[in-house]
Amino acid sequence: MPLATSIRLVLFGPPGVGKGTQAAGIRARAGVPHISTGEMLREAMKNGSPLGQAVRAVVERGELVPDALIGDLVEERLSRPDAGSGFLLDGYPRTLAQADRLERYLAGKGLRLDGVVNLSVPEPEIIDRLTGRRVCPSCGALYHVRYSRPKVEGVCDRCGASLRARSDDTREAIGERLRIYHEQTAPLVARYQRDGLLVTVDGRGQPHEVLDRIVAAFPALRR
Ligand code: AP5
């Protein structure tokens, strides 16, 4: 049973750095919801909802969806009762406008972030992680063709569905996502450093080693 820890964290870093992987480990410790904007958009795309239809082409090109749209989506999710005692935001904010909006939303409730975990991995390793990533379209489990292989090739260990590459893990879209990260998202590092919230964590090594580094930086996550 995870501890019900009251903690409000942002998992930050470039595409493929391991945010989703680490979110699973942190969630198991903190018992707060993992709110991934990428997952929310992919779910909408899978369901063919109006939102999913509106964002599909943008996401598949590796571009960012509009700030207003993603801000509304996040605030609706944060307003649900399970996020009342904390949350783990993954993939949001990723522009200065999104960071401002999040700060205003939390301040309106008398809250603030407890920290921003800035995962760091050299770019060649990031590209290797993304080109080899496989996901389960049914339960969302994450794999990698070399670093995190399923027991049976191409089959999800958890639910038996066939694994696939994400539609935005093409070489072209990865290049665009990294370009946008450097241009629009990386400037947030200085902002969160200035606010005293940024903790940069080496994202290399086994996922459990990376998790240990995150836990060491946030005593509330220690069991
Ligand atoms: P999103 O889903 O947030 O994608 P991302 O930021 O590009 O990050 P990824 O999910 O690709 O990577 P990750 O860091 O979670 O790495 P993972 O753990 O999977 O967003 C997708 C799109 O949605 C965006 O491009 C945009 O269009 C839109 N969007 C989302 N949020 C938005 C926002 N706020 N504003 C506007 N648009 C938005 O790991 C990757 C691989 O590496 C896996 O195979 C994993 O098994 C492997 N791995 C992980 N850790 C390790 C390790 N330690 N060692 C070896 N392998 C590892």
Side-chain angles (χ1 to χ4, degrees):
M1 270 287 278
L3 290 173
T5 305
S6 172
I7 192 163
R8 294 176 185 84
L9 286 183
V10 166
L11 268 173
F12 186 85
V17 76
K19 301 182 294 293
T21 303
Q22 293 307 319
I26 298 172
R27 188 176 64 165
R29 284 175 169 265
V32 292
H34 169 208
I35 300 177
S36 158
T37 44
E39 276 306 315
M40 290 160 86
L41 296 173
R42 281 186 290 280
E43 195 56 32
M45 284 157 56
K46 192 165 102 182
N47 298 338
S49 68
L51 169 68
Q53 290 175 32
V55 301
R56 179 179 292 280
V58 175
V59 170
E60 289 186 348
R61 283 198 300 270
E63 297 167 5
L64 297 184
V65 307
D67 287 335
L69 185 155
I70 204 85
D72 289 349
L73 207 62
V74 169
E75 288 181 8
E76 188 283 321
R77 181 65 188 86
L78 289 177
S79 70
R80 294 192 210 163
D82 67 335
S85 64
F87 53 77
L88 187 54
L89 271 174
D90 163 3
Y92 187 92
R94 58 214 287 167
T95 65
L96 286 165
Q98 292 178 15
D100 287 342
R101 182 166 171 175
L102 177 64
E103 193 174 319
R104 277 197 308 275
Y105 175 83
L106 293 175
K109 304 199 167 323
L111 302 170
R112 71 188 295 266
L113 291 173
D114 293 307
V116 174
V117 179
N118 177 33
L119 289 171
S120 168
V121 167
E123 199 148 303
E125 192 169 333
I126 281 180
I127 293 169
D128 185 40
R129 287 185 183 187
L130 288 174
T131 49
R133 173 165 57 191
R134 297 294 178 269
V135 292
C136 175
S138 179
C139 73
L142 267 179
Y143 299 89
H144 190 279
V145 292
R146 284 190 306 286
Y147 311 129
S148 176
R149 298 165 63 166
K151 292 191 185 90
V152 178
E153 199 182 327
V155 178
C156 180
D157 291 345
R158 275 204 234 154
C159 72
S162 295
L163 302 179
R164 351 185 144 124
R166 244 167 63 176
S167 59
D168 59 347
D169 278 347
T170 60
R171 291 254 171 206
E172 209 177 16
I174 291 169
E176 183 63 1
R177 285 158 62 200
L178 286 168
R179 188 188 68 75
I180 290 177
Y181 170 79
H182 290 298
E183 188 183 285
Q184 298 195 44
T185 309
L188 291 179
V189 168
R191 180 224 179 90
Y192 284 128
Q193 208 153 28
R194 184 200 68 200
D195 294 348
L197 290 170
L198 195 83
V199 175
T200 296
V201 171
D202 184 351
R204 293 171 298 176
Q206 295 292 320
H208 69 87
E209 295 172 323
V210 181
L211 180 62
D212 286 347
R213 290 178 202 131
I214 297 173
V215 171
F218 292 95
L221 296 176
R222 291 186 201 147
R223 292 194 222 261

